[in-house]
Amino acid sequence: MEGRTPSMTNPSSPARFYLTTPIYYVNARPHLGHAYSTIVCDAIARRKRALGIETWFLTGTDEHGQKIERSAKLAGRTPQEFAAAISGQFRSLWDQLGLTYDDFIRTTEERHKRGVQHLFATLRERGFIYKGSYTGQYCVFDELYVDGPPGTPCPDCGRITETVSEENYFFKLSAFERKLLKFYEANPSFMGPESTRREVISFVRGGLKDLSVSRTSFSWGIPVPGDEKHVIYVWLDALANYITALGYGSGDAADQARFAKFWPADMHLIGKEISRFHCVYWPAFLIAAGIDPPRSVHANGWLLFDQGKMSKSRGNIVRAETVHTVLGSDALRYFLLREIPFGQDGNFSFDALVQRYNGDLANGYGNLVSRVVNMVHKYFGGVVPEAGAETRMETALHESAQRTLAEFVPQFDNLNFSDALKTLWSLVAETDGYLTANAPWKRPENRSEIEHAEHQARVLATAAEAIRIITALVYPVLPDAAAKVWRQLGQGEIADAARQSFLAHLEWGGLKPGTIFEAPAPLFPRAEKDAIERMVAMEEQNSQSVIEAAGSVAVAEPTEPKVPRSAEPAPAQEPKKKAERKPMEETEPTPAPESASTSASAPAAVGASVASQPATASPAAAPEAQPASPQVITIDDFAKVELRVAQVLVAERIPKADKLLRLEVDLGYERRQILAGIAQYYEPEKLIGRKIVIVANLAPRKMRGLESNGMLLAASLPPDGAPVLAGFLEDVPLGARLK
Ligand code: ME8
């Protein structure tokens, strides 16, 4: 099935749509950055399905490689256990947020392993993989080969690279330089945004070297078929998920049919930092294997928090669960899509989130729906009246709705979500203005009762129709709220409408007279000032908890309480940029808005902080038995021990001392020598660049004529006390004190 000749063209197929998120590393739990990419895909998938396009939306987790192997070791778990726990957290978060992925692939699954080995074997058979040797620098964090001498920092993350020297398999990437440039030229919409396109093209123009696609220095990966001491390079393994999930490499007829139907992918949505892998390596692998490249790769910008990319290693993360609990997942979706022009970096702050929520959702769309549904109930017993002939004002609103439709569709479909929502909210504002200008709740003295009833019918039926259009268009972004409004408008289940491709037939006039409205129900209870405080407190409390609830994987967290700075100070008053709220006309029957902080679904306020706890491992993670009668020390005794983070700069064996290594470590404020009895367990070159924990105030000692100024911290594993050095999942500054 993969033997088709690559067409090198970019035809779009309207009948089906295959889109994917990156598969996320399981070295750390999910945060808002991961949620962002997955939410964008969910919004696209929902719209495509509601247009009647057969859609396949894939997400999953990337579970192999040295980084995962090390994280698992630090947590005292096997890589399998560790990966399963974190992968489960991703999946359950996506379910909690109501994301409608069609498949969730884990790279540790058999179907994936089989497909990757098939791909590797195909590339080898076709002459694109050969054996050679590699000595050079490697960044374990980014799983990236880096040019330069030992000690070169990784160009992506700045961490010191490790020197690897291995016999490896190589992929002939150098053969693809011209082919790729021609491919990009022939397919101008292959990658976006423009900045990504320029960056990728200039990278390829700079020359492509053959790529090492196997490793022998660790084993947590997929073995090279027929040469099992090699594991396949984690990026070749990971990228292949997009085809193995469709059944590539399987002999099964149903799998083959699915692959033939959905490949090539219409869109790989990724974060901008992994464009090179997706726009250079991936199409090269595919073309080499005789498979069509994907139709497009689109990079989202970074979600920033505290001025930096939100990431576990910086420790500046916010969890999607927090926003979901306090404001609901629609609020999060709306904020991310409206606030950040797709493709650009954008700031996240609780303050901005609550402003958007109150301004656009509670006071905007939510208030408009509530006004109209209430008045249809009050004046027409909940039955949509006959609108009658349009006046100039109805024609204006009707034409605006048609203009909105015409503008929204290309904006959304070109991933310009922010402008699409801005366009739609102009119609929200216009409908609101139309209602206020026509004041159906007020009968002027010169208008008869019959005339007034006609006026009310025309205005309310027209406003309700505008709401129906708005709701249909916003459904991919606000699926929960749209479902509620659809019911209130007497349209039934929006999921059924989506299955019947309602977005393909959306036009003015669909709300029929005689339709029976359901009872009004609150959509977006106004967020009170404590909503921000609660979210900040939830994050603060979470950053201090040491045990991951979902997988009971022990992950040491920073011991300093982390209050996200940009959310500070939690405003004591209403958010500054409060959106205009229309004065409530005396007789307008709009119910008083509820407050988000008092809504039934919101939990009680969480305490602002919990006492700082020393990092402990779960029982399962502590392989050594507890001492029988632990000696108790006071906090003052503990405070005497100065534990600090240091980085290994030099590591070498000491002649005639087979257990000792001589290390030079950097504490940020000073460099010092330490002798450590770990030579039988650690290769010195593998320690260079590694961050460790040392006892910094230990009296100097002389060993073998050399002075040792400190001691390393390591777990001691039974039966023979093998040391495992203490380290961090997050990036921590040198010299940081452990308390
Ligand atoms: O790179 N802002 O996995 P990963 C926006 N396993 N998006 C963000 C983000 C942020 N602050 N943080 C993360 C990997 N993301 C590889 C991918 S694919 C074959 C293999 C999103 O866990 C963004 O989509 O580091 C980014 O590309 C992805 O998460 C990286 O996830």
Side-chain angles (χ1 to χ4, degrees), residues 394-477:
E394 283 73 42
T395 306
L397 189 63
H398 169 170
E399 285 174 358
S400 285
Q402 279 168 330
R403 244 192 334 271
T404 299
L405 253 167
E407 282 172 29
F408 177 94
V409 167
Q411 284 171 333
F412 192 102
D413 293 343
N414 290 324
L415 311 185
N416 192 353
F417 309 111
S418 180
D419 281 346
L421 290 170
K422 212 189 284 175
T423 300
L424 196 54
W425 254 250
S426 303
L427 186 60
V428 171
E430 201 173 325
T431 310
D432 225 15
Y434 163 82
L435 211 55
T436 303
N438 285 289
W441 54 89
K442 201 161 68 193
R443 180 164 76 84
E445 281 176 7
N446 61 354
R447 196 189 284 157
S448 74
E449 288 207 3
I450 292 178
E451 281 168 346
H452 184 56
E454 281 169 7
H455 174 79
Q456 281 181 316
R458 189 169 58 246
V459 172
L460 290 176
T462 304
E465 173 59 3
I467 289 175
R468 191 187 68 88
I469 300 274
I470 293 164
T471 302
L473 289 178
V474 85
Y475 155 75
V477 180

Side-chain angles (χ1 to χ4, degrees), residues 267-288:
M267 188 185 293
H268 291 318
L269 193 130
I270 59 166
K272 65 179 180 181
E273 76 290 350
I274 53 176
S275 323
R276 189 196 309 173
F277 300 101
H278 284 80
C279 302
V280 181
Y281 299 173
W282 183 224
F285 293 152
L286 288 167
I287 295 169

